[in-house]
Amino acid sequence: MSGQGGQAFAEPEKRARGAATRDAILEASRHQFNRNGVQATAVYKIAGDLSISSGNLNYHFKGKGEIIAGLADTLDREIAAAARPFFAKAPSGEGFIQAMGGFLTVLWRYRFFFNASHYLGGISPDLALRQDAMRSLIRSMIRRSTVDQIALGTMRSPRAPNSANVIADNIVSVWIAWLQETMPDDSADDVPPPGALRNCIEHHFGVIEPYVSDTFIDRFCRALGHH
């Protein structure tokens, strides 16, 4: 009985250690992918960062593709959480900037995922599909938010040939270009460099400015002045 009891106590501890190692691998990989690019990051370098063997890493993830898939799962959850402020109510001014800042920071933390389209497709067709699905999810979220703001009167309905979908797609293009073109600051890998987040928010605002009220513009400009 005592041997079985000891094993019963050991199993949860073993699972906890395994989960901690898995999480550490994902975090180290995310940093390496963002800093050096997915293609230039070898699995043994990730293992070296964690002072574990390549075999230990391979026990948890069978290659780079599985690591990226695990990070994509985490990104899905973080995007869903960061999107909630946009739909709880139509944010304006300070609330709008905070909601955007939170969402864009999540994308920044996983920017490698949006900067390696061809390489991800080469690793696995499933990863290419995951990337397309991620972009579609973001596009759908912005489209829905734009439609909601028009319905609430926060934004004016655009005249043809523009539409809520066109506005949303332009916003997504601004975001993706920002992720691809902004040079990272190695001293703050998980947050955008100083001024970069403000730059993206200003470009985002440039897309929606023709359709928002003067009151929204005034609140937005005053709130942005505090950042």
Side-chain angles (χ1 to χ4, degrees):
M1 291 293 292
S2 60
Q4 291 178 349
Q7 184 178 2
F9 282 115
E11 283 302 317
E13 183 179 345
K14 182 179 179 181
R15 287 196 296 270
R17 287 199 305 270
T21 300
R22 179 183 171 88
D23 290 344
I25 291 169
L26 290 174
E27 274 296 279
S29 300
R30 184 176 63 79
H31 284 290
Q32 284 263 13
F33 293 157
N34 281 336
R35 190 178 303 119
N36 304 319
V38 177
Q39 186 170 358
T41 300
V43 171
Y44 77 84
K45 293 181 180 179
I46 299 169
D49 271 0
L50 297 171
S51 298
I52 63 175
S53 68
S54 296
N56 190 355
L57 187 149
N58 192 60
Y59 173 80
H60 295 279
F61 296 97
K62 301 297 188 292
K64 201 184 296 186
E66 284 194 9
I67 294 174
I68 296 171
L71 287 168
D73 290 340
T74 307
L75 176 57
D76 279 338
R77 294 191 293 271
E78 292 193 22
I79 279 181
R84 290 190 192 111
F86 288 101
F87 302 111
K89 60 180 180 179
S92 62
E94 183 69 25
F96 178 83
I97 291 173
Q98 288 179 349
M100 273 198 63
F103 195 90
L104 289 170
T105 298
V106 169
L107 298 187
W108 176 263
R109 282 167 42 80
Y110 295 86
R111 59 193 178 278
F112 76 88
F113 198 71
F114 303 95
N115 296 340
S117 301
H118 298 298
Y119 185 71
L120 293 185
I123 293 177
S124 163
D126 288 341
L127 285 177
L129 291 175
R130 287 292 297 270
Q131 188 181 62
D132 288 343
M134 190 69 66
R135 291 189 184 218
S136 295
L137 174 68
I138 296 169
R139 186 177 294 109
S140 296
M141 187 207 80
I142 298 300
R143 285 181 174 185
R144 177 184 160 195
S145 175
T146 304
V147 169
D148 286 350
Q149 290 186 54
I150 290 172
L152 290 167
T154 307
M155 291 179 64
R156 292 186 290 273
S157 182
R159 296 179 180 177
N162 285 330
S163 66
N165 284 350
V166 170
I167 295 171
D169 291 351
N170 287 340
I171 289 170
V172 173
S173 295
V174 166
W175 289 8
I176 298 299
W178 174 72
L179 291 172
Q180 293 175 340
E181 296 170 6
T182 303
M183 295 300 294
D185 182 346
D186 289 338
S187 65
D189 195 47
D190 271 359
V191 295
L197 193 60
R198 179 189 177 105
N199 179 268
C200 188
I201 292 173
E202 288 177 340
H203 279 83
H204 176 122
F205 182 71
V207 175
I208 65 172
E209 185 176 11
Y211 310 103
V212 294
S213 67
D214 292 339
T215 300
F216 182 97
I217 293 172
D218 180 62
R219 289 177 178 172
F220 177 90
C221 291
R222 281 192 283 112
L224 189 62
H226 297 143
H227 284 258

